[in-house]
Amino acid sequence: MAAVKVASMARIAVIGAGMGAMAAAARLAVAGHRVTVYERSQTYGGSLGRCADDGFTFDTGPGLLHLPAVQRDLFVKTGKEPLERCVTLTQVDPASRHLFADGTSVSLPNASRAGTVAALDTALGGGAGAKWGAFLDRARDAWDRSRRPLLEEPLRTDWQVLGRDPYPAEERRRLLRPARRAGTVAEIGAWELADPRLAALLDGYALAYGLDPSRAPAGAALLPYMEETFGTWYVRGGIRELARAVYERCLARKVEFVFGAEVARVVEKDGRAAGVELADGTVVEAAHVVLGARPWPGLVPGQELWADGDVRVRAGGAGASGRFVVMLSLRGGRPADAVHRTVVHPADGAAEREAVFGGRIAAHPTVTVLRPDDPSTRPDAEHEAVTLVATVAPHGPVDWTDEALRARFARTLTEAAGAAVPGLRERVLRTRVRTPAETAADTGAEGGAVPPPALGGAGGAFLHAANRTRLPGLLLAGGWAHPGGGLAHAGMSGALVAGTVVEGDGFRGSR
């Protein structure tokens, strides 16, 4: 056995340099703690990666920002320069265009309830706007009921109360049979929205967050409400620029980063976390340890982080999903009337979700087409960078290292995206692909699964493990912890972890 080396004292050791972990690190440093971040890769940002190729640049993770108030709060609380001085934010308008299998399409304005209702009525007819508007009223109730206990407060010890769905579903009366209420996203679409195109629109929101519409509780309605109420934003240069800004804010607050430093385990002493041991045997002492990644077996040898009845970290197996990303370098400039985000919906959404969440490849996936109006993403005005994204089964059930399979599925997405970008195939200069296999290799997430946000309902099955573990001194941040995945939720987890460390047992969340 190799000799153990002991490094200098670190008051707080943070494992991972993802967005939730960096948010916690910056806030803790401002509170006066000495913070060191240990990251297994050679860079920061977690899922907010970037691919540069001969003058073209692409985000390999999320392409748009929702609920920017979370990031604004981080920058206000950690320095004098606000978010808008560190990155350039622009509202995406229209927020999205939707192409349906029957040939109809609709463009939804950014953060305009009345505009969305009017657009749906004009494009789809049949009172579609009124149906969607009534749905958003109920979704607002779900948001109001969920916002504090689900997003802004530590997970309560009696978390079972969050198992009740916050969405006030309409009662559906049936002849000679008991009345029922929609309990899932798919049932809202079928029973309350009725129009299959509105159902596809709602399903698309769930899929984008890695959720199965047939299983996700009705409380997931707060996700489209959040986007349509608080808007959709683009970060000039790509979302990777937001990761850069947060990293630089950490450096300005004297957070130390050690890259290429894989943590093997958390050190336990006298019944509490006392530091970390790196893969090379180096032991770093710490008063607190913040884990910004999904816990792995042997993280704390001989210790159980959760007691019976606690919410556990969501597994990356059955029912999990990842992202398949196609990065297209195109000849020809971006038309002035091009839409930033277009969602191409398949004819059979049920077949897609059965395939994706059953560990298979969907023949006709929902494809999101991103065409940013950003000169920094392309070599010149005579070229365009376009990204295609689909939610897919994780690596394992599907072998995403199979080059032939990768190429076939990239063609499937490109063909579907042709409905949004006329003449797309003829314009392609180069195709780059990123699959759940690369996500798994880069982040360590099982199968390259992407954590969804926490949701109320379904008996608590869609909650995430609390930020505070059963081992004192060890806390969880990032998408695998409360309140779950997505940029906004990960940022909230960082705030909750910092508040827990600074204020102790009395911390009850942001006010």
Side-chain angles (χ1 to χ4, degrees):
M1 182 174 179
V4 173
K5 297 173 284 183
V6 179
S8 59
M9 176 71 171
R11 281 296 299 166
I12 296 181
V14 177
I15 304 172
M19 295 299 285
M22 288 199 296
R27 291 173 181 271
L28 288 166
V30 166
H33 294 278
R34 187 149 53 92
V35 183
T36 303
V37 177
Y38 298 92
E39 167 58 46
R40 66 197 291 267
S41 75
Q42 296 297 330
T43 190
Y44 54 84
S47 65
L48 271 62
R50 172 183 285 162
C51 176
D53 185 12
D54 198 21
F56 295 88
T57 61
F58 306 87
D59 282 319
T60 59
L64 295 168
L65 179 65
H66 306 293
L67 205 61
V70 173
Q71 306 301 329
R72 290 187 176 119
D73 182 69
L74 171 63
F75 279 76
V76 166
K77 298 291 176 56
T78 60
K80 294 181 179 179
E81 286 188 313
L83 176 64
E84 279 81 354
R85 286 191 188 175
C86 301
V87 297
T88 300
L89 290 179
T90 57
Q91 282 193 300
V92 177
D93 204 0
S96 58
R97 179 171 60 135
H98 296 265
L99 305 181
F100 300 103
D102 68 353
T104 57
S105 67
V106 62
S107 292
L108 303 181
N110 197 344
S112 171
R113 165 73 174 278
T116 294
V117 168
L120 289 169
D121 269 336
T122 299
L124 307 185
K131 290 178 184 176
W132 189 258
F135 158 72
L136 286 181
D137 284 338
R138 295 186 291 276
R140 179 187 58 207
D141 289 343
W143 169 263
D144 290 341
R145 296 170 182 177
S146 300
R147 183 177 60 85
R148 284 208 59 80
L150 193 65
L151 303 178
E152 297 177 355
E153 298 177 346
L155 187 65
R156 38 195 304 171
T157 55
D158 60 341
W159 56 265
Q160 290 84 354
V161 300
L162 296 174
R164 294 193 293 269
D165 202 310
Y167 180 77
E170 289 185 322
E171 192 172 75
R172 179 175 182 248
R173 298 191 176 279
R174 302 180 297 170
L175 184 63
L176 303 178
R177 299 174 68 185
R180 286 195 60 190
R181 298 179 187 272
T184 66
V185 168
E187 288 175 346
I188 291 176
W191 300 353
E192 295 183 2
L193 298 177
D195 188 315
R197 295 163 298 183
L198 292 181
L201 177 62
L202 179 57
D203 282 359
Y205 280 106
L207 281 169
Y209 283 93
L211 294 162
D212 178 356
S214 65
R215 292 184 61 246
L222 62 84
L223 299 173
Y225 173 81
M226 181 178 74
E227 288 195 23
E228 295 193 14
T229 301
F230 303 109
T232 298
W233 303 75
Y234 176 69
V235 180
R236 183 69 58 177
I239 290 287
R240 175 69 180 176
E241 285 298 292
L242 177 62
R244 174 198 56 77
V246 175
Y247 171 66
E248 291 180 352
R249 178 55 54 90
C250 285
L251 294 179
R253 301 282 75 82
K254 308 303 182 185
V255 174
E256 180 183 359
F257 285 79
V258 184
F259 294 107
E262 183 173 359
V263 173
R265 67 183 181 94
V266 171
V267 176
E268 180 269 334
K269 183 178 180 181
D270 298 330
R272 66 171 291 114
V276 298
E277 180 180 337
L278 306 183
D280 67 359
T282 301
V283 172
V284 182
E285 297 178 337
H288 292 87
V289 176
V290 176
L291 176 62
R294 185 170 180 263
W296 59 87
L299 172 67
V300 186
Q303 284 280 347
E304 174 59 70
L305 299 182
W306 298 278
D308 289 342
D310 286 350
V311 176
R312 309 297 177 96
V313 174
R314 289 173 61 91
S321 65
R323 300 286 187 273
F324 191 100
V325 181
V326 180
M327 294 161 277
L328 299 176
S329 302
L330 304 183
R331 62 171 63 88
R334 180 185 187 275
D337 61 351
V339 175
H340 189 123
R341 174 175 58 165
T342 300
V343 182
V344 182
H345 298 273
D348 191 348
E352 177 189 15
R353 59 184 181 245
E354 287 172 6
V356 170
F357 298 98
R360 305 187 306 278
I361 297 174
H364 302 287
T366 299
V367 180
T368 298
V369 183
L370 299 175
R371 307 178 70 184
D373 184 11
D374 184 351
S376 70
T377 65
R378 53 188 183 257
D380 53 51
E382 301 306 314
H383 295 84
E384 183 180 7
V386 171
T387 303
L388 316 179
V389 185
T391 297
V392 296
H395 180 55
V398 173
D399 180 8
W400 288 117
T401 64
D402 183 326
E403 291 295 337
L405 184 152
R406 292 157 64 101
R408 285 197 304 273
F409 198 65
R411 287 195 295 271
T412 296
L413 267 62
T414 303
E415 290 170 4
V421 186
L424 176 60
R425 293 184 63 182
E426 292 72 27
R427 295 178 59 195
V428 176
L429 291 170
R430 190 178 297 106
T431 300
R432 297 282 295 269
V433 169
R434 181 179 173 84
T435 78
E438 284 76 41
T439 303
D442 291 347
T443 68
E446 180 183 349
V450 177
L455 297 171
F462 288 80
L463 299 175
H464 292 262
N467 308 107
R468 190 196 303 268
T469 70
R470 292 281 169 165
L471 179 65
L474 175 61
L475 300 106
L476 307 182
W480 297 106
H482 176 73
L487 269 175
H489 293 72
M492 293 179 209
S493 80
L496 292 172
V497 164
T500 299
V501 172
V502 173
E503 298 185 25
D505 293 340
F507 179 64
R508 293 293 178 268
S510 58
R511 289 290 187 269

